[in-house]
Amino acid sequence: MYKLFKSQVTDQIISVCRENQNNSITSFSFAPESTDYQQFKKDIQNGVELMDSTGTVMTQEQITTFLSTLP
Amino acid sequence: MSLTQVPSGMLQTTAQYYGFKNRVMNGQMQIDQRYSGAVQSPAPSGYSADRWALYKSGSGTWSYQLSSTAPAGFSSSMLLTVTTTETPSSGDYFIIQQPIEGFTTADLAWGTANAQTVTVSAWVYSSVTGTFSGAIRNSATTLSYAFSYSIPVANTWTQISATIPGPTTGTWVGGTNGVGLYLDFCLSAGSSNLTAAGSWTSGSYIGATGQTAWVSTSGATFYATGIQIEKGTQATSFDYRPYGTELQLCQRYCQAINNSSSAYGTVGYAVAFSTNYGIINIPLVVSMRIPPNSLTLSSNSHFMLTNYNTSVAWSSFTLSSSNTTTVNAEIEGTVVSSSLTANYPYVARGNNSTSGLLILSAEL
């Protein structure tokens, strides 16, 4: 499961967070060269759950719209 | 005083006596910033020991750990253990991989008429005997050279090597901070990931035809250490580098702040953006390959902001990518209560926890 992170400073979504198998938390930016980001895109296209920054699970339509804004 | 003439060959880089000849980092498997030697089961999908990534596809599972089992001259190795068996399907694979940066491989002149030959060597130990393999690929994974080797005796250290002629064709990134080459050691793979050993082949292959299905044996183990890629036609002695030097080389790609020795260890210096939001600057100990693009926290609750009057645990922190550079990481996020004073300075430190671990990654 992934969750978007919204910055109070910029009021923009700046990263996405993922809970790992060992319960640690990884957050990463939307950098095309990042393997975490590449895996994130694959995962949510394959149906892994994505929550918005408030913790609400996003619909497939919302995910598709969000994906279209990413690099 | 009489002077002794140095044999001319000793002064040539082709003699393979020079230092820093090994293009692999953490070939001795001594550095494990992410896991500090703890067993990871299942093994992580991605980086394990510093600079070494584990990737698999298939229903089988494996665990990862740094081990003190090692051949003479070494003190540690990477240990992989089969935890769920499978018979690899065509597209399956289990590999240990190190992407090596272009700046570290540019002098090999691959993709040109001056392409240099390299030799890969390693110490391996497996409970399963047979033919094993590996490969070198370019960054686009459009060109591969598979090599194979034999492990004839179970549970015995075997030194293996493969000499690989430099490719005069193909796209290689040269002197950049991108992937100069991928080095893969294959433990199991399906047929579509394997090709004939001993020649450069178009396409992406991570091992050679005949690869043993290691993952088909319950509890199978595989250890590796002393991994080296050097210019030249033969394997020479391992390029031992000082631990501190090797750690710094690895920190170009990953830097961890580990509070195991200090429950209140300092992470960085912060300012409160609002009553529940902080911005923390973390100076990086060496310049990283690129501005780090991922942050891993053992747990937000392992860290806090404090001004020695008010202390408050982190709730959710992330990298501030637009303000992070190769020499300074900026992270930002919320704390568990609105008890900060906006615009006041704070210290980011451990929250009375020796489990605190903060990892910044700029890996390939």
Side-chain angles (χ1 to χ4, degrees):
Chain A
M1 185 198 310
Y2 292 96
K3 183 179 179 184
L4 300 178
F5 186 99
K6 189 175 193 177
S7 169
Q8 273 192 21
V9 180
T10 62
D11 201 33
Q12 303 284 321
I13 300 295
I14 61 170
S15 67
V16 62
C17 304
R18 176 193 72 219
E19 186 167 342
N20 302 312
Q21 290 163 345
N22 63 0
N23 298 321
S24 64
I25 298 160
T26 296
S27 63
F28 46 91
S29 55
F30 304 111
E33 68 276 15
S34 160
T35 53
D36 288 311
Y37 174 60
Q38 292 163 14
Q39 188 63 47
F40 160 72
K41 287 183 78 172
K42 282 184 196 168
D43 284 348
I44 60 172
Q45 284 166 346
N46 289 328
V48 174
E49 205 167 76
L50 175 64
M51 294 192 295
D52 67 17
S53 60
T54 68
T56 303
V57 176
M58 296 172 71
T59 65
Q60 194 55 53
E61 188 177 0
Q62 290 171 321
I63 290 172
T64 301
T65 303
F66 176 69
L67 275 175
S68 68
T69 67
L70 297 179
Chain B
M1 182 179 72
S2 61
L3 297 175
T4 301
Q5 184 176 8
V6 177
S8 60
M10 299 282 282
L11 300 176
Q12 299 169 0
T13 56
T14 51
Q16 298 179 299
Y17 292 112
Y18 57 97
F20 281 84
K21 63 187 175 185
N22 190 2
R23 311 309 168 96
V24 167
M25 292 175 190
N26 198 24
Q28 289 188 77
M29 306 294 181
Q30 287 185 308
I31 300 167
D32 187 16
Q33 292 187 83
R34 294 171 179 84
Y35 302 111
S36 301
V39 176
Q40 301 298 308
S41 183
S45 176
Y47 283 90
S48 53
D50 276 61
R51 300 297 296 117
W52 291 103
L54 303 174
Y55 294 111
K56 74 144 193 127
S57 176
S59 59
T61 60
W62 54 355
S63 66
Y64 152 78
Q65 184 179 26
L66 275 201
S67 168
S68 59
T69 297
F74 297 90
S75 59
S76 59
S77 64
M78 173 185 284
L79 164 61
L80 298 160
T81 305
V82 174
T83 49
T84 307
T85 62
E86 70 155 82
T87 300
S89 300
S90 173
D92 289 357
Y93 54 84
F94 289 75
I95 60 169
I96 309 167
Q97 179 187 88
Q98 182 162 136
I100 301 178
E101 189 175 346
F103 285 129
T104 307
T105 59
D107 66 302
L108 301 177
W110 284 9
T112 77
N114 295 320
Q116 301 291 301
T117 296
V118 298
T119 297
V120 178
S121 57
W123 285 92
V124 295
Y125 175 115
S126 173
S127 63
V128 176
T129 60
T131 298
F132 286 74
S133 63
I136 286 181
R137 294 179 291 165
N138 66 350
S139 60
T141 64
T142 54
L143 194 61
S144 310
Y145 187 102
F147 58 86
S148 63
Y149 58 92
S150 173
I151 298 182
V153 182
N155 301 322
T156 302
W157 283 104
T158 304
Q159 189 175 26
I160 59 104
S161 70
T163 296
I164 298 172
T168 54
T169 61
T171 301
W172 300 86
V173 301
T176 75
N177 63 359
V179 175
L181 62 85
Y182 290 106
L183 171 64
D184 300 303
F185 287 91
C186 179
L187 301 192
S188 297
S191 57
S192 65
N193 291 307
L194 303 174
T195 188
S199 64
W200 287 101
T201 305
S202 293
S204 182
Y205 299 98
I206 45 83
T209 306
Q211 166 70 45
T212 297
W214 170 83
V215 73
S216 298
T217 300
S218 179
T221 54
F222 185 93
Y223 299 81
T225 192
I227 300 174
Q228 180 156 280
I229 298 179
E230 60 191 303
K231 192 190 294 183
T233 58
Q234 56 187 326
T236 66
S237 61
F238 187 78
D239 180 20
Y240 293 99
R241 295 189 282 245
Y243 179 87
T245 301
E246 198 75 35
L247 175 60
Q248 287 187 313
L249 292 174
C250 293
Q251 286 173 329
R252 177 171 169 79
Y253 307 90
C254 175
Q255 292 187 24
I257 297 173
N258 187 327
N259 279 356
S260 61
S261 62
S262 174
Y264 294 100
T266 298
V267 170
Y269 296 93
V271 64
F273 179 76
S274 69
T275 58
N276 73 342
Y277 202 87
I279 300 171
I280 303 167
N281 276 281
I282 304 172
L284 302 174
V285 294
V286 303
S287 181
M288 299 191 81
R289 182 183 69 87
I290 57 173
N293 55 29
S294 89
L295 166 71
T296 297
L297 299 170
S298 50
S299 168
N300 278 285
S301 65
H302 290 159
F303 301 96
M304 67 173 173
L305 296 184
T306 182
N307 62 4
Y308 301 97
N309 181 30
T310 299
S311 300
V312 58
W314 298 4
S315 173
S316 177
F317 268 76
T318 190
L319 265 173
S320 174
S321 57
S322 59
N323 295 328
T324 289
T325 69
T326 57
V327 295
N328 190 82
E330 184 173 287
I331 67 174
E332 60 181 86
T334 54
V335 293
V336 296
S337 66
S338 298
S339 49
L340 302 176
T341 302
N343 303 319
Y344 272 37
Y346 289 82
V347 175
R349 62 193 304 198
N351 186 18
N352 191 22
S353 172
T354 54
S355 299
L357 179 65
L358 183 156
I359 302 166
L360 293 158
S361 174
E363 288 285 5
L364 287 160

